[in-house]
Every structure is written in C-alpha cells, then in structure tokens.
Amino acid sequence: MATQERLTSRPFLALCLIAVLILVVYQTATISRERALADLQYRTAADLGRYSLSLQQELDRYKDIPKLISTHSELLNPLLHPGSDAEARASLYLEKVNETIGASDAYLMNTEGLTVAASNWDKEKTFVGRNFAFRPYFKDGLSGKAGRYFALGTTSKKRGYFFSYPVHFRGKTLGVIVVKIDINDIENDWNDPLTDILVTDEDGVIFLSTRPEWKFRTLTPLSQADLQRILSSLRYGEEALEALNVIRRKDHGDGTEVVTLVDGDWASSESLDGVKTRQYLQQTRQVEDAGFNVSILANIKAVERQVFTNVLLASFSYGALVFLLLFLFTRRRVADQREEFKRQEQQALESSEARVRAIIDNTHAGLITLDHLGRIESFNPTAEKLFGYPAEAVQGKYFSHLLAQQDRAVCWQHITTSTDDDTELMIEALGCRADESQIPVELVIGRMTREGDRYFIVTVHDMTERKQYEQKLRKARDMLEHRVDERTEDLSRANARLLTEMEQHKNTQNELIQAAKLAVLGQMSAGINHELNQPLTAIRSYADNARSFLEMDKPEPAKDNLSEIGLLTERMAKIIGPLKEFSRKTTGQLSPISLQAAKDGAMAIMYGQLAKAKVDIVWPQDAADVYMLGDMLRLEQVLVNLISNATQAMEGQAAPRIEISAGRQGSMMSIAVRDFGPGVPESDLEKVFEPFYTTKLDKQGLGLGLSISHRIILSMGGQLTVTNHPEGGAVFTVLLPVVPSSVQA
C-alpha cells in the first residue's frame, strides 16, 4: 500500500518541482529585471543630470550677453539716427563681439523687426535688411523682457538657439539685440553608445539628438492645430514634424517610462510582420528658464541579457539543489524502510491489543464477556463501578446472579438457545449490586464467534438518572396540567367579566353620546325659541285678520291669511324636524354618506346659533361629491360640536369666520374645520380630547364634547386630530374611510 502511494505521488511531486522551478524562474526574472532597471534608471538619471547641467551651463554662458551689450552706444546710434554710418559701426562692433564670445551670429533689429546691423554683414547671406518680426524672441524683447527661442534659421537653415534683449534709451525701447549660438558642438559631445539624448521644445519637437534620424520628430503626435501653428511660425522650416514610431509606453514610476520604438522605417503592414523593435528606459528633465526638456533613452538590451544570465544561473542552482535533495531523500528512505520492517510486526500486535483494551476500559458502558455457558470471562472497570464487584470476584461465575430474579429467565433463554442468528437481546432489567441494592439497567446481549466457539458480549448502561428524570418529568407534566386547568378557569372568569364590562361601557358611551346631543340642543334652545316665536306671532296676526275678514264677509283675504298660516307651520316643522332627527339614537351601522347631507343636517341645527353670532361659515363647493363610510347622525353630532366650539372660540370678534375643507389622504377622506380664534395652547394639544378638559366658562360646558366626538370617530374606524394653523386659529381634522368606488357608484 505504501509503495503504491509513493508511485501515485511521484507525478504530483514532479508537477510540484516543475511549478517551483517556474516560480523560481519567474521571481528571478522579475527581481533581476527590477534591479537591473533600477540600476539603469539610477545611472541614466545621473547621466541625464550631467547632460542637462552641461547644456544649461553652455546656454548660461550666453544668456546675459544681449543684456550686457544692449547699453553700448554703438548699438544705440543706428536706432536713434538711422541711415548714417552708425549702422556700419554697429555691425563691426557686433562682429567683434561675436568673435570674442564664440557665438554663431549677433544682430540688431529696430522696433519694426528690421535688422539694421549684424555680425555677418559681410557674408553672402547676411541678416542685414531682413525682417524677423515674426520670431517670438523679437516679440519678447519688444515687450521689454529677455527672450529665448530655438529654431532653424530662415537664412542660414542651421539650427540655433537665440537670446534676445530689448535696447532701451531713456525708458523707451528702441530695438532688440539678438545673439544666436550654434548647438551642434553640444550635440557632438554626447557620444555614449548605450544611451540616446533628446532635447525637445515645449511642443515635444526634437531639435537635438544623438540619433540624426530622430531630429525634427516628435515624441507624441501633434494635433492639427499645433502642427499648423508651428509651421506658420517657420520655426523648423519645411520639416514634416512626424512622430516617432512608439508602439507602447509603460509607466515605470518616478517620471520614468519604458517605451518601445520601431527600429528603422515604419512598416506598411498593419501586422508589423518583420519589424524590429527596441525598448528604451526614458527619463525626462526640464531645463529651468530654457523652455525645453532633456530626455535620455537607455537601451534595455543589456537589462535583458542580465536577466537571462540570472535566470540561467538560478535554474542551474535549483536543478543541482533538487538532485542533491532527491539523492539524500532516497538514501534516507531506504534506511527508514529497513528499520520500519523490523518494527512493523511487533507494533501491529501491541497496537491491536492496546486499542481493544483502551476501548473496553474507557467506554462509558459496562462490558462483560461470557463463555458459551454464560459464565463471566472479563469485567471492565465501568462494570466494576456499576455492580460494585471487582473483576476477580465474579470471573467464572454465571451472569444471571447479577440480575434480579424476574429478569433472569429472559436472559438465560437467549444465552442457551442454539441458533446461528446474530440477533441481539435488548431489555431493561434490575441489576443486583454487591451491597444487595438494585439499580435499573439496560442490557444488550450479543453473540460472537471465536475460534469456532460461541461467546457473548453484554453491554450494560446505568438507567438510574434516566429513571429519575422520567419521574421528575411526569411530576412536572402533572403539575403543568393542573396549572393550565387553573389558569384556563381564571381566564374564563376574566373573559366573562371583561365582556360584561365592555357591554356596560358600550351602553355608557351611547348614553354619553345621547346626553351630548341633548346638551347641544339645550345650548341652542334660546335660538330655537327665538326662531319659533317669530312664526307664532305671525300666525296669531294672520288668524286675527282672517277672523276679521270673515266677519266682514271677505273670504278671499281670509283665504290668503290662512295660506300664510300654512306656510308658517311648514317653516316651524322644518325647524323642529332636524332637531327631532338629531336627538334620536343611531343604529350604529356604517354606510356611505355624503358630506352635503351631513352639511344640511348640521346647518339645520346650527343656523340659528350661527346667525345670532354672525358667523360666516364656508363649506367646500364639491360637498355633494365627497363620500365616506360612517354614521350620518354621529357625523352630524361631531360637526355640530366642532362648529359650536369654533363659534365659541371666536366670541367677541368683529367678523368671525369658519372654513371647512375636504380632501383625500390615501385611503381616508379628511374634513378639516378651521376657526380664526386664538387656537389651542401648544402645551394643551395632547389634552384636548381628554374627558372634562375645557377652556370655556363653567356655564358653557363640562369638557365632554371633544372627548365624545373623538370616541365617535374612532368607533367609525377614523381619527380626530387637532393642530394650530400657521396663520392663527385651531384646525380639527376628521379622517374617515373612503367609500369604495363600486359602492359609491
């Protein structure tokens, strides 16, 4: 088995070794490349600093020359007195200066950009008479500041770097002096074969390079607008200013990039088949106050060679180490196998015996083995504790003497029955301890065969705790059933008492609602008497007149008076009818009701009080279209209470006004009653609907109206709330369920 496992594990081991080799090669290549690139970056950064410093120092030699010679009188005279021999003397002076400082050319321009004197006055392509007003260095000098500029000469067609400075006289700019230097010597000093140096202007155009084919190329493609601007300035003559053939750029951090360039001309094939590329480590540094950047491109070919060398060395070292470890491992394994074979047989026997003994001794059950006659052969420690006998005291005795008399027959029958069936016997019995006490046990007697003879193994579990737990569980169950019966009886009595109290509460609430109705009628009795007295007085007058007309034998006037009496009685019936309807008890059934109907009923009751108090009440125009679920008489009672309270809140005002509005809020219809009184104190907003809360005088009420109204709305499945309006006054809002559209239709 072990040999087979080793054979199976060999492919896996080989795959692991190959994976580790790949990891070592990858890590070596990665670390080597990073270190080589870091070293190359460090070296090229130092070279870049050196080249930039040398270029800057070379340019700094000339930057102050224009300023120095701008004040010389030989340069002022041709600008102050043009057309005289001062121009010739100025040209001779510039020629001498040019020879002294080693510049390429020096020339003087007036404010129009026309060259009036030049160091090359005697050359065939002299600058004298040429206009350079389009050059930026002239514009900088004319604006009163020093200028710097690189460009191809329009006359000489040679690269040059131009320094300019204004020529002042008595605070006025008369012209611009320019010194041009040749930078070819600087370019010739850069001759490192492993690096290439580029100097680019602010647009990225290369004007200095150790690679001639890179001159007047760009690091990145120019936009059409920038290209047109540069060409129109004649800065680089007729050069095409094409971009370098950069295939890829990768940021390496710290302002360094790894760029891949096509070596040679660009291929016509889009697949780049057969095109050779080179990788460079590019670093760029800006030269201060010069208007250009210096870039160094170091070839990474040396880095790749170093990486290859390191990978080859690491692979060889790894292979040698693996072969050494395999040799040592094989030698050690052979020695271990020889030693293992010597110990194998002895360990197998000891291990088997120890395992069996440990299982028997440490099990939580008593284990007893019996021979074919039912006599005890072994007795484990758990069985010793369970029965109180040491193993030596019961060895060779029959197992039956450990059981109570009533359980011996079943066990003895199972032991003495001759059968090949391996069925186990499981029973609950009483065990007999050495101190003659009995304990409940669970017995499992199983058969086993050893050396052709039949033997038995008995498993014994102590059931004392289980029996005690079952007894406690029965007591707890009986007690719980008794407590449930008692609690059920208490709940039944409490439920009956609660139903009785609820019925009494409902009757009391209905009586309070009816009493509130009668209280409202009582408060309005004075107004009702006034309304009834007028038609009664008129009836008396019409009756007297009718009698007089009959006595005078004038039936027609008498008939008219009797008709008026009939109309007056109808009016009195209309006054008394709503009061009778309002005072009767409601059925309590909810049904669709119209706000218009509730308005008519409430106004029939309140019109007298409102007219007496001169209250202007405004109802919604669409009251006939507003429906809700409720009880008509109860809603009328709530509206009468709210309107009456609003009227009393505005007592003493010159023009009291009540506004009633209606609208839908989700599944509820709202009716808002707003007065223009002092409102409800903020501290009392939560107490308004409490019984006996009132802000009125004692003679005006007991403080039950709002409490009863609140309960009426709740009984109809709605809400009654109160807030203060931001512009003054209290707003009581009634919310009732909306009538379903099918029911409303």
Side-chain angles (χ1 to χ4, degrees), residues 564-682:
E564 292 295 333
I565 290 174
L567 294 175
L568 290 173
T569 56
E570 289 180 4
R571 178 183 174 187
M572 294 175 64
K574 289 181 179 180
I575 295 173
I576 297 173
L579 298 178
K580 292 171 61 181
E581 185 70 18
F582 181 75
S583 62
R584 72 181 178 86
K585 291 187 178 181
T586 178
T587 61
Q589 298 295 325
L590 300 183
S591 61
I593 57 176
S594 169
L595 179 59
Q596 182 66 40
K599 167 192 171 183
D600 294 341
M603 291 301 294
I605 298 169
M606 292 297 299
Y607 80 94
Q609 183 179 350
L610 295 175
K612 182 178 179 181
K614 299 180 180 180
V615 177
D616 181 18
I617 184 166
V618 179
W619 289 83
Q621 296 293 330
D622 58 345
D625 299 328
V626 178
Y627 283 85
M628 63 212 78
L629 283 178
D631 183 270
M632 175 66 77
L633 293 179
R634 292 192 176 189
L635 181 59
E636 287 180 3
Q637 181 178 355
V638 172
L639 291 176
V640 168
N641 283 339
L642 297 180
I643 295 172
S644 177
N645 288 345
T647 302
Q648 294 174 7
M650 295 184 292
E651 287 184 357
Q653 292 187 2
R657 177 182 175 87
I658 299 175
E659 291 183 355
I660 300 177
S661 59
R664 183 164 179 169
Q665 296 183 6
S667 62
M668 308 293 284
M669 184 64 69
S670 69
I671 304 173
V673 181
R674 181 201 171 187
D675 62 56
F676 288 81
V680 181
E682 293 293 334

Side-chain angles (χ1 to χ4, degrees), residues 58-293:
E58 183 67 21
L59 295 178
D60 288 346
R61 291 173 52 194
Y62 300 95
K63 69 175 183 177
D64 294 326
I65 299 299
K67 181 178 180 181
L68 181 63
I69 65 177
S70 64
T71 57
H72 200 278
S73 59
E74 295 292 352
L75 300 181
L76 295 174
N77 291 332
L79 298 175
L80 293 173
H81 309 289
S84 62
D85 59 350
E87 296 174 352
R89 290 197 303 271
S91 294
L92 292 173
Y93 172 72
L94 290 176
E95 182 180 10
K96 184 182 295 185
V97 170
N98 198 55
E99 293 176 354
T100 303
I101 64 176
S104 175
D105 296 293
Y107 49 99
L108 177 66
M109 296 179 290
N110 60 16
T111 56
E112 302 298 328
L114 183 65
T115 305
V116 297
S119 60
N120 60 354
W121 59 275
D122 57 342
K123 302 295 190 297
E124 180 181 357
K125 295 182 179 181
T126 181
F127 294 166
V128 177
R130 298 185 65 84
N131 193 301
F132 299 104
F134 62 89
R135 290 296 198 187
Y137 59 77
F138 170 75
K139 297 176 182 179
D140 291 339
L142 197 61
S143 63
K145 59 183 180 180
R148 289 188 174 201
Y149 193 65
F150 173 85
L152 282 177
T154 57
T155 303
S156 63
K157 303 300 181 181
K158 294 182 178 180
R159 295 175 299 166
Y161 198 83
F162 300 85
F163 294 95
S164 65
Y165 198 81
V167 179
H168 298 292
F169 181 73
R170 295 180 180 178
K172 182 179 180 182
T173 301
L174 301 179
V176 177
I177 179 68
V178 180
V179 175
K180 176 185 177 183
I181 64 172
D182 189 358
I183 57 177
N184 288 327
D185 296 337
I186 301 174
E187 190 177 59
N188 294 333
D189 292 338
W190 297 341
N191 55 4
D192 190 343
L194 298 179
T195 58
D196 293 304
I197 309 299
L198 306 177
V199 181
T200 58
D201 62 6
E202 63 277 5
D203 293 313
V205 179
I206 303 171
F207 60 85
L208 282 180
S209 174
T210 55
R211 297 281 293 273
E213 65 271 17
W214 289 356
K215 293 176 184 178
F216 305 115
R217 303 283 292 273
T218 61
L219 293 178
T220 57
L222 295 174
S223 65
Q224 192 63 32
D226 291 337
L227 182 61
Q228 189 63 34
R229 172 178 54 80
I230 297 172
L231 292 176
S232 62
S233 68
L234 301 178
R235 185 174 188 177
Y236 299 109
E238 299 178 355
E239 296 292 341
L241 303 181
E242 295 180 351
L244 290 178
N245 300 326
V246 178
I247 297 178
R248 188 183 301 108
R249 291 180 181 272
K250 182 179 179 182
D251 188 11
H252 193 260
D254 298 332
T256 304
E257 289 183 320
V258 177
V259 296
T260 304
L261 293 175
V262 175
D263 192 8
D265 295 333
W266 187 265
S268 59
S269 173
E270 295 183 357
S271 63
L272 300 180
D273 293 336
V275 175
K276 295 182 179 180
T277 60
R278 288 187 181 181
Q279 283 189 323
Y280 296 90
L281 184 69
Q282 178 183 344
Q283 297 188 70
T284 303
R285 178 174 297 180
Q286 184 178 6
V287 180
E288 298 180 359
D289 301 328
F292 55 78
N293 300 322

Side-chain angles (χ1 to χ4, degrees), residues 331-452:
R331 185 174 180 179
R332 178 65 180 174
R333 187 179 62 182
V334 171
D336 291 342
Q337 286 177 349
R338 291 176 180 175
E339 189 68 24
E340 181 69 18
F341 288 147
K342 295 179 181 179
R343 298 192 305 265
Q344 221 171 32
E345 188 173 344
Q346 182 67 25
Q347 286 182 349
L349 295 174
E350 294 177 355
S351 176
S352 178
E353 184 178 352
R355 184 168 57 254
V356 173
R357 177 53 57 187
I359 293 173
I360 294 175
D361 292 344
N362 295 302
T363 184
H364 293 288
L367 293 179
I368 305 172
T369 57
L370 309 178
D371 60 10
H372 63 286
L373 297 177
R375 291 174 297 192
I376 298 174
E377 285 189 341
S378 65
F379 215 63
N380 75 335
T382 304
E384 292 179 348
K385 295 178 182 179
L386 188 62
F387 291 99
Y389 290 105
E392 297 80 5
V394 296
Q395 193 169 9
K397 293 184 178 180
Y398 286 99
F399 172 69
S400 58
H401 89 280
L402 297 177
L403 301 177
Q405 188 67 36
Q406 64 269 21
D407 298 319
R408 294 179 180 178
V410 177
C411 297
W412 185 254
Q413 183 180 1
H414 180 75
I415 293 173
T416 57
T417 301
S418 299
T419 179
D420 295 333
D421 190 8
D422 293 335
T423 304
E424 295 179 343
L425 173 66
M426 179 183 295
I427 62 170
E428 292 184 4
L430 289 177
C432 297
R433 293 174 53 84
D435 57 1
E436 298 183 357
S437 62
Q438 293 183 343
I439 57 172
V441 294
E442 182 184 61
L443 299 178
V444 178
I445 303 176
R447 296 185 177 93
M448 61 180 180
T449 303
R450 188 176 63 189
E451 297 178 357

